[in-house]
Amino acid sequence: MLNESDLTALAITLKLAGLSTLILLLLGTPLAWWLARTRWRFKFLLEAVVALPLVLPPTVLGFYLLVALGPHGPVGGAMEALGGRPLAFTFTGLVIGSVFYSMPFVVQPLQDAFTAVGRRPLEVAATLRASPLDRFFTVALPLARAGFFTAAVLGFAHTLGEFGVVLMIGGNIPGETQVVSIAIYDHVEGLEYTHAHWLSAGLLLMSFLMLAAVYALNRRFRVVQP
Amino acid sequence: MSIEVRFRIDRGEFSLDVDLSVPAHGVTSLFGPSGCGKTTLLRAIAGLERHRDGFLKVGDMIWQAAERFVPPHRRPLGYVFQEASLFAHLSVRRNLEYGVKRVPEDQRRVALTQAIDLLGIGPLLERRPDRLSGGERQRVAIARALAVSPRLLLMDEPLAGLDVNRKQEILPYIESLHNQLDIPVIYVSHSPDEVARLADHLVLLEAGRVVATGGIHEMLTRLDSPLAHGTDAETLIEAAVAGHDDTYHLTHLDFAGGRFTVVRKPLPVGSTVRLRVAARDVSLTLEHQSGTSILNIFPATVDELIPEGEAQVMVRLMVGGVPMLARVTRKSASVLDLRPGKPVYAQAKSVALLS
């Protein structure tokens, strides 16, 4: 069965996935909206940057984040200068890493959903006296709601399975940055296969259920292949 | 009061250059082949597309001038798109209420119930848009546009995507708007049939330029207008119901040039109707025929004639001051010696009632 440190790792994992998903929805919505509507000719460059974590080894992303967030990096250095501590090997650092790592899983379904809504409903709303912000909240958001569901579930599930980035910038500090995927690795290293089984099966089942929900409730939208 | 429209739009292979003034009442039809710029012009009038070089004044409201551009949501207009474009996430009722809620109460002049009754959509209110037929959807879209109490209603081929039966279902509703609400309408169409039924005023567009503009009766019978040619050339005549003949089951319709007699229609005496006489159904004689089955014969004067292909001639007649087209063969024109000023008798073989 699960011991206390396993439960702590599980709690940290869920907290990390939940917080990252929330931040991603808040940042990803305006970004996806802009990407879906702009006619800027270099928009493909930004789309490629957003999609990078799909193909990049997580260690590469983790390495750069470590450099940036560490005491000698631009972000970490600035934090230190302001009297804080560097973000590497902290929970906050993990959240920042996860936001980058799971970005395409949130932004792409949202962008697809906004593109599928099209211009017409927004034009209709304009002729019915709705201001641009009003149109976004009363027409674009409700029509794209299936995309939000997909984005939230994929962002959450993908963050659960994070390993390489976490190891690079979070280290393996029990109670602070040790997540389930790393706890499993530790158990296997220590030949504690029973514990590894329980955690792995739990993660497997949770991920399967979430993806099944996405595919069942939401057949109209393209789902990014993890 | 009038609507003044000036736009210069240049998009490389397509350019639109329009300087127009149309009456701010009745139905003005923008008519022309597809690709002539009708929809572009309508979208520019709505402000859905912003063009730098434009001026737009509707009655006393300036919607666009040199430095001024009123965004579409601040223009008191209604817009009916070619596809109904109902909000899929809202019921019919909430679709209708969407616009009404955003109009200040002191500017509401069309009650929601009035719009619902006019379009006959009372029984549909709780349905979702995807549970409606194409015709029902378009009726809801028209009611939705009316319910914002527009000072100008723009309609972009609202019947184009519908089959003949659905068109017949909706046309009477659009006609009734005309009679019951005093809202000017700009109606984009490429169907001569719709124009004949609905329009009071016509703007002919071709390749982004205004070819001709004027009242519908005049425009249909002007020999320099493309509408006055071909097999569908026709004359529209407004007539008043003078009385009914119970013995033979007929209805008499009076106009400035005389009296039409048609198969009895359930119309109140004194009401006005719009009649359509196809140019190919009008024949000409030099003397008043007596031994004929044709009931509708009018003394007329030849006003103008123009060859119509190799074998035919389009003749514009004046019948008591009302223009009427007749299409005859070139041979007949020569035998009858038709020329401007010549008195003739026009025989209309068949007459259609439009409303």
Side-chain angles (χ1 to χ4, degrees):
Chain A
M1 279 299 288
L2 301 178
N3 62 26
E4 203 177 313
S5 82
D6 289 340
L7 288 174
T8 310
L10 191 63
I12 289 173
T13 307
L14 293 176
K15 190 172 134 196
L16 175 66
L19 206 57
S20 304
T21 306
L22 196 68
I23 293 170
L24 272 171
L25 286 175
L26 289 176
L27 296 178
T29 302
L31 176 61
W33 176 248
W34 184 81
L35 284 173
R37 308 268 303 171
T38 185
R39 288 173 180 164
W40 186 48
R41 54 200 284 230
F42 295 115
K43 123 179 162 170
F44 68 94
L45 291 176
L46 202 63
E47 287 177 311
V49 169
V50 169
L52 269 181
L54 289 176
V55 295
L56 219 52
T59 43
V60 173
L61 183 64
F63 172 68
Y64 283 119
L65 282 168
L66 180 65
V67 170
L69 300 181
H72 306 295
V75 181
M79 291 294 292
E80 216 162 37
L82 292 170
R85 61 191 185 111
L87 294 170
F89 310 114
T90 65
F91 182 73
T92 313
L94 273 196
V95 172
I96 294 173
S98 304
V99 164
F100 281 102
Y101 179 61
S102 297
M103 176 127 11
F105 293 83
V106 172
V107 171
Q108 286 186 357
L110 289 181
Q111 188 185 339
D112 287 350
F114 286 137
T115 306
V117 168
R119 283 172 189 269
R120 178 51 56 79
L122 297 157
E123 288 183 349
V124 172
T127 67
L128 295 171
R129 309 284 185 280
S131 69
L133 204 64
D134 188 358
R135 306 203 273 273
F136 177 76
F137 283 108
T138 59
V139 176
L141 278 195
L143 285 177
R145 62 189 182 279
F148 275 88
F149 177 73
T150 307
V153 173
L154 287 184
F156 189 88
H158 189 244
T159 310
L160 283 189
E162 184 175 343
F163 181 79
V165 177
V166 177
L167 204 59
M168 293 294 280
I169 61 167
N172 188 2
I173 307 164
E176 165 99 18
T177 62
Q178 192 188 62
V179 296
V180 172
S181 58
I182 290 171
I184 293 170
Y185 183 75
D186 274 359
H187 285 312
V188 174
E189 289 273 276
L191 298 175
E192 300 159 338
Y193 274 42
T194 318
H195 286 286
H197 265 305
W198 275 106
L199 282 178
S200 298
L203 217 50
L204 178 73
L205 190 67
M206 212 170 0
S207 303
F208 171 75
L209 289 178
M210 282 191 290
L211 288 178
V214 168
Y215 283 104
L217 288 172
N218 188 358
R219 292 168 199 185
R220 278 169 48 212
F221 289 86
R222 184 167 67 87
V223 173
V224 188
Q225 302 303 316
Chain B
M1 290 294 242
S2 64
I3 300 168
E4 285 171 51
V5 184
R6 283 202 293 276
F7 280 105
R8 280 246 294 276
I9 300 165
D10 197 356
R11 284 201 200 123
E13 75 277 19
F14 173 79
S15 76
L16 184 87
D17 191 344
V18 165
D19 186 347
L20 259 182
S21 176
V22 297
H25 55 80
V27 177
T28 298
S29 179
L30 298 181
F31 181 83
S34 28
C36 71
K38 311 182 290 277
T39 297
T40 306
L41 183 56
L42 203 69
R43 291 175 61 84
I45 293 173
L48 291 176
E49 270 159 43
R50 185 171 182 167
H51 302 285
R52 221 174 286 269
D53 202 356
F55 176 84
L56 178 61
K57 190 172 166 205
V58 176
D60 52 3
M61 303 171 287
I62 293 182
W63 286 357
Q64 186 171 351
E67 296 297 311
R68 193 175 152 77
F69 178 83
V70 180
H73 66 277
R74 297 226 176 81
R75 301 181 181 194
L77 57 80
Y79 200 114
V80 180
F81 292 84
Q82 191 170 330
E83 315 80 34
S85 310
L86 300 181
F87 296 130
H89 62 298
L90 300 177
S91 66
V92 168
R93 182 192 297 280
R94 306 237 346 251
N95 261 281
L96 294 170
E97 287 168 352
Y98 187 94
V100 179
K101 280 194 294 195
R102 289 166 171 81
V103 175
E105 257 171 78
D106 59 331
Q107 289 170 28
R108 292 182 197 168
R109 290 172 304 130
V110 180
L112 187 52
T113 50
Q114 193 185 359
I116 292 170
D117 290 345
L118 261 174
L119 276 303
I121 53 171
L124 311 177
L125 292 179
E126 304 313 324
R127 297 230 217 131
R128 311 281 304 183
D130 57 3
R131 315 286 296 183
L132 302 177
S133 72
E136 289 169 338
R137 266 199 282 265
Q138 201 52 283
R139 271 153 61 196
V140 174
I142 295 171
R144 183 175 66 175
L146 280 178
V148 297
S149 308
R151 304 270 299 273
L152 174 63
L153 181 61
L154 305 170
M155 302 179 98
D156 185 4
E157 308 212 36
L159 305 182
L162 304 173
D163 60 43
V164 177
N165 291 334
R166 294 285 89 72
K167 278 185 192 169
Q168 295 310 324
E169 168 197 330
I170 296 184
L171 267 168
Y173 291 110
I174 302 182
E175 277 171 342
S176 67
L177 303 183
H178 192 228
N179 302 330
Q180 299 195 26
L181 300 172
D182 185 25
I183 298 172
V185 179
I186 298 183
Y187 189 100
V188 162
S189 179
H190 69 260
S191 152
D193 220 48
E194 282 168 37
V195 171
R197 279 187 71 157
L198 299 171
D200 302 303
H201 199 84
L202 195 60
V203 176
L204 271 180
L205 278 174
E206 223 176 273
R209 304 289 183 278
V210 175
V211 181
T213 167
I216 181 76
H217 304 286
E218 186 204 340
M219 290 293 289
L220 285 177
T221 54
R222 260 171 57 174
L223 293 186
D224 61 356
S225 140
L227 284 172
H229 299 285
T231 47
D232 292 329
E234 62 193 12
T235 306
L236 295 182
I237 291 170
E238 313 283 345
V241 179
H244 302 286
D245 178 335
D246 291 325
T247 317
Y248 291 111
H249 217 65
L250 299 169
T251 295
H252 300 301
L253 303 163
D254 283 356
F255 75 110
R259 165 172 288 188
F260 279 99
T261 301
V262 299
V263 173
R264 182 168 183 147
K265 296 279 173 355
L267 294 166
V269 172
S271 61
T272 27
V273 293
R274 188 177 267 196
L275 297 172
R276 174 156 72 183
V277 184
R280 60 173 185 273
D281 290 338
V282 178
S283 57
L284 302 177
T285 58
L286 291 180
E287 277 128 46
H288 194 299
Q289 297 275 310
S290 47
T292 171
S293 64
I294 294 176
L295 290 173
N296 299 307
I297 302 179
F298 310 99
T301 316
V302 175
D303 182 54
E304 200 184 344
L305 51 166
I306 197 166
E308 181 85 352
E310 304 257 292
Q312 290 173 315
V313 173
M314 190 63 78
V315 185
R316 177 181 148 109
L317 306 163
M318 293 307 280
V319 184
V322 178
M324 186 187 286
L325 295 180
R327 199 184 64 178
V328 299
T329 59
R330 201 152 62 82
K331 178 173 181 182
S332 307
S334 161
V335 170
L336 298 182
D337 186 26
L338 297 181
R339 58 198 144 67
K342 177 127 181 166
V344 291
Y345 287 90
Q347 309 189 132
K349 201 168 68 188
S350 84
V351 180
L353 245 71
L354 290 182
S355 47

